[in-house]
Amino acid sequence: MPELLTVREVADYLRVTQKTVYRLLQQGSIPALKVSHSWRFDKASIDEWLKSTAVGAKANILVVDDDQTIRDLFRDILEDAGHRVITAGSGAEALEYIKAKDFALVFLDLKMPGMSGADVLRKIRAIDPDLPVTIITGFPDSESMAAALAQGPFGVMNKPFGEADVLNAVKSFIRIGRS
């Protein structure tokens, strides 16, 4: 028997507002059933819809890390999942890309020579306050992390990480919208 969700439940599941769910319903872009006078959502259909819209959406993702191996790892994982990936080896380079192009998500190393990840995050927030950022760190309890936390909400991915961690971060932050 299918698991049916209410508008509130699907909004919580997608991490969006109920207003966004109703907008998607009006656009006819989200799979739904009308039961009596209420909308219901089959969880399996929502999962399929998410897979086709989030992973298949070919989001623009920026990876910022001073380590070429890490940048290559992200590029391989994300491009295999169908995304467009741009990499930057420094904070200054990343900010130039952010000023020139729209991104759905930024993966940002916390510890880099020159401009720290916390400094880059502060400047990203000045350029695009709503841009989702996931901090990559091997130092989750550092002063740099405390400085980053002052810049507002973001995701955190601790080193070492694997392919599943990268793809889960993408699924968490690229639900609906930006690409």
Side-chain angles (χ1 to χ4, degrees):
M1 174 168 243
E3 180 181 352
L4 296 180
L5 305 174
T6 65
V7 170
R8 178 179 303 182
E9 291 168 335
V10 82
D12 290 343
Y13 184 64
L14 296 175
R15 298 182 193 176
V16 299
T17 65
Q18 289 182 47
K19 185 177 179 179
T20 299
V21 173
Y22 283 115
R23 182 176 44 79
L24 292 167
L25 283 166
Q26 286 177 333
Q27 295 170 350
S29 61
I30 188 169
L33 308 164
K34 189 82 166 190
V35 177
S36 186
H37 296 289
S38 302
W39 287 105
R40 295 291 182 260
F41 306 83
D42 174 40
K43 188 172 182 293
S45 295
I46 293 296
D47 288 339
E48 282 300 313
W49 175 75
L50 277 174
K51 186 176 178 182
S52 69
T53 57
V55 176
K58 296 198 184 294
N60 291 324
I61 299 175
L62 177 63
V63 178
V64 187
D65 199 301
D66 58 307
D67 185 334
Q68 180 68 46
T69 305
I70 299 291
R71 293 194 309 267
D72 290 344
L73 173 68
F74 271 91
R75 178 185 301 281
D76 290 346
I77 292 169
L78 295 169
E79 285 182 348
D80 284 351
H83 299 292
R84 293 178 297 264
V85 180
I86 293 179
T87 63
S90 70
E93 183 182 6
L95 293 171
E96 290 304 314
Y97 283 128
I98 290 169
K99 289 175 187 172
K101 190 167 182 62
D102 286 329
F103 291 96
L105 175 63
V106 175
F107 285 100
L108 176 61
D109 188 19
L110 185 60
K111 287 213 172 235
M112 295 186 293
M115 194 182 316
S116 74
D119 291 335
V120 176
L121 179 60
R122 181 176 47 78
K123 292 181 180 196
I124 288 171
R125 291 291 182 242
I127 296 166
D128 185 350
D130 298 323
L131 178 58
V133 175
T134 295
I135 297 286
I136 310 163
T137 185
F139 308 94
D141 298 323
S142 67
E143 286 181 29
S144 295
M145 182 59 89
L149 285 168
Q151 305 309 315
F154 55 84
V156 177
M157 194 163 63
N158 291 319
K159 293 178 181 175
F161 55 84
E163 181 176 348
D165 299 313
V166 173
L167 295 175
N168 284 335
V170 171
K171 286 179 188 174
S172 293
F173 288 97
I174 305 177
R175 288 289 194 188
I176 299 167
R178 303 177 73 113
S179 62

